[in-house]
Structure formats: C-alpha cells, structure tokens
Amino acid sequence: MLNSKNLDLLGSEKVFVSYNQNTIEIKNLRKIYTGKKVIEEVKAVDGISFSIKNGEIFGLLGPNGAGKTTIINILCGLVNQTEGDAFIGGYDVKKNLRKIKELIGVCPQQAAVYQYLSAKENIEFFGKLHLMDDQEIKDRSKEFLELLGLSDASDKKAKKYSGGMLRQLNLIIALISDPPILFLDEPTVGMDPRVRRRTWKFISSLKESNKTVVLTTHYIEEAEELCDRVAIIDYGKLIAIGSPKDLIREHRAKDLEEVFLKITGRRIMEGV
C-alpha cells in the first residue's frame, strides 16, 4: 500500500509520498512521431500539463487517436516522450523507471494474458513475477475472481474467454501485487452492460484502499460514473480539466458529451 511512510523500494534512495502530494505530475509533455514510415509529423501529445492527486480516480477522456493511450504509455515507460517531464510518486519516468514499476499496475488496451493458461494460472504466473507467496496469490485471486464474477470460469483456459472476460482478467492481473497506482486503458471495451456495471463498481471500490487510478475511456457514462476529475483530450491537446459536475455546470451542458461537442465541435465517439 502507498501511504505516508517513506518508500525504500530498490536501494537506499527514498521518496516521501504523503496524501497531500500529487501522485502523478506531467509538465509540457510532448510526443511527436517522425521518420520514414510517417508521412508527416504527428503530434500525438502536444504540450500537456496536469497533476493527479493521491487516491484520485482520474479520467483521460477523448476519441480514438486523441493521445490518451500515448500519455499512458509514456507514464508506464513504454514510449519515450519527445519533450517535457513526467513524475510518478516523485520519480522521473526518464531516470527512475525501475522504481516506478514497483508502484504501478497496468491494464492495457489489448488483453495481455497467456491464452493456453487458465485464469487462475495466469494470475499465479504474474503474481510470481512480483515475488508474491503462494497463499497471498491464492487469497487475493479468490477475492478478485468473486468480485468480478469470474469464479465459475477461473479454471477455463483464457482462449475460451470472451473479450469482456479477458479484460476483467487483465484487471485482476494489474491488481494482484497490490500496486498503489493503476493505469486502466479502456478497461470495459467489449463488455456487455451488466458486466460493465459490475466492473465499474469494482473500480470505484479501489478508492477505499486509497489507490490512484488513471482511466482512459471514450465512454461518457463511464467517466461520469467513476471519475473524480477528467482531462478532456483532443488532437493531442488538453482542452478542459475538472470534475464532471464542474465541467457540465461551467459549459451549461447536460453531460460531458455535450461539453466536448461545445468546445471541439465534434462528438467524443467520432472515429470510434
């Protein structure tokens, strides 16, 4: 668990993360794609700055291609930024990635599981990678499988899972080591409404253990249901940030979809 005690993860260097500090900070972040395979320069992330508080569920909201996943990939160390700075728990993602990986869990946009292993075997495998003991893995996986409604299918091979079930399994894998910070990239795509609602309830419950959650989505209702604050991203730029209620009130809109339409001239679901 992330708390006000000092974290001494890998060596003697310490960083103090209190509940009064921001867990994540990005400053003038840019990612520009160039090269032989790129016909023209692409500004995937174009000078974005914001901070995310400890224990906050923070949404990155926007259509496909807006830059949401690129921001997540930079914060997770999968992509190097072109310019700007990004910090997680006080650590610079360019200099302290190994330490940052001790703090984060990642649920990627595409399911990342072993198809010929069962759900239980997948969870155990990833738990072992985090050096967890057998009983801890067993207890936590049982709890998560029950909460997400996967207990009855936990012995089936992942290749027999639906897209929604694979995403739920990915969510469990991201959480198995009890990381204080979670990145959830479109976690409910492919889920039917009933399963999506159950997953929303599960994600919302993470606030009880003071986890910081960064959620990317283009589902308006998902952002309004789960997020304390949202950053609306379009064409790589940050165009609005605040709580859903504040943004709706500020722009005299009925929902975030109308907010987006008013400030960009197009709908969030365009291009999806």
Side-chain angles (χ1 to χ4, degrees):
M1 291 290 298
L2 184 67
N3 52 41
S4 57
K5 297 179 181 179
N6 59 297
L7 297 173
D8 190 4
L9 298 172
L10 292 170
S12 59
E13 183 181 350
K14 295 180 175 65
V15 61
F16 290 84
V17 183
S18 75
Y19 294 129
N20 295 322
Q21 290 180 320
N22 294 318
T23 298
I24 298 170
E25 291 190 51
I26 66 173
K27 301 176 182 178
N28 196 33
L29 199 66
R30 297 179 187 275
K31 178 59 183 179
I32 301 173
Y33 289 100
T34 59
K36 294 180 180 179
K37 295 184 179 181
V38 180
I39 298 175
E40 61 182 44
E41 183 178 272
V42 177
K43 295 180 180 178
V45 180
D46 192 7
I48 287 178
S49 300
F50 60 76
S51 60
I52 300 173
K53 301 172 185 177
N54 288 316
E56 185 173 33
I57 297 182
F58 187 90
L60 294 176
L61 186 65
N64 283 356
K68 307 184 304 293
T69 296
T70 301
I71 293 171
I72 294 288
N73 287 343
I74 290 171
L75 292 172
C76 295
L78 299 175
V79 173
N80 293 323
Q81 66 262 46
T82 304
E83 295 178 18
D85 298 295
F87 301 89
I88 296 179
Y91 291 117
D92 189 327
V93 297
K94 292 184 292 187
K95 301 175 182 178
N96 303 109
L97 186 58
R98 191 178 174 196
K99 294 182 179 181
I100 286 170
K101 287 182 177 180
E102 294 289 326
L103 297 175
I104 66 175
V106 182
C107 183
Q109 197 171 105
Q110 299 297 325
V113 302
Y114 289 97
Q115 296 289 323
Y116 289 93
L117 295 181
S118 69
K120 284 183 179 178
E121 290 168 338
N122 267 287
I123 296 166
E124 180 180 4
F125 174 78
F126 285 98
K128 290 291 187 181
L129 290 181
H130 288 284
L131 305 180
M132 297 172 64
D133 64 57
D134 291 343
Q135 190 60 48
E136 186 180 14
I137 295 171
K138 183 178 179 180
D139 291 344
R140 289 181 63 78
S141 61
K142 180 181 179 181
E143 176 188 1
F144 291 149
L145 287 165
E146 288 177 354
L147 286 171
L148 287 170
L150 289 180
S151 295
D152 291 343
S154 61
D155 290 318
K156 291 183 180 179
K157 287 183 170 55
K159 69 176 183 177
K160 297 182 179 180
Y161 275 23
S162 66
M165 293 169 72
L166 286 172
R167 288 193 175 277
Q168 288 182 304
L169 178 54
N170 251 178
L171 182 55
I172 294 172
I173 289 169
L175 276 162
I176 193 62
S177 65
D178 197 23
I181 302 167
L182 282 170
F183 293 101
L184 309 181
D185 194 0
E186 304 284 0
T188 64
V189 171
M191 293 182 183
D192 65 48
R194 178 181 58 85
V195 175
R196 180 176 289 131
R197 286 284 176 181
R198 179 191 291 144
T199 305
W200 286 358
K201 184 177 180 180
F202 178 76
I203 293 172
S204 183
S205 73
L206 298 175
K207 288 180 66 68
E208 296 173 10
S209 54
N210 205 52
K211 293 190 184 299
T212 302
V213 179
V214 183
L215 170 76
T216 76
T217 184
H218 54 253
Y219 292 135
I220 289 294
E221 67 275 19
E222 187 162 282
E224 291 189 24
E225 177 79 17
L226 295 176
C227 297
D228 298 302
R229 288 189 303 145
V230 297
I232 297 179
I233 311 291
D234 194 29
Y235 296 116
K237 291 185 177 292
L238 175 65
I239 55 177
I241 189 168
S243 73
K245 288 183 179 179
D246 286 346
L247 290 173
I248 291 168
R249 182 170 56 251
E250 177 185 348
H251 294 278
R252 298 182 180 181
K254 63 181 180 180
D255 56 26
L256 284 177
E257 174 76 18
E258 188 173 332
V259 171
F260 193 86
L261 180 61
K262 283 188 172 186
I263 59 183
T264 69
R266 64 193 189 116
R267 297 188 179 279
I268 288 178
M269 295 298 285
E270 286 182 20
V272 174

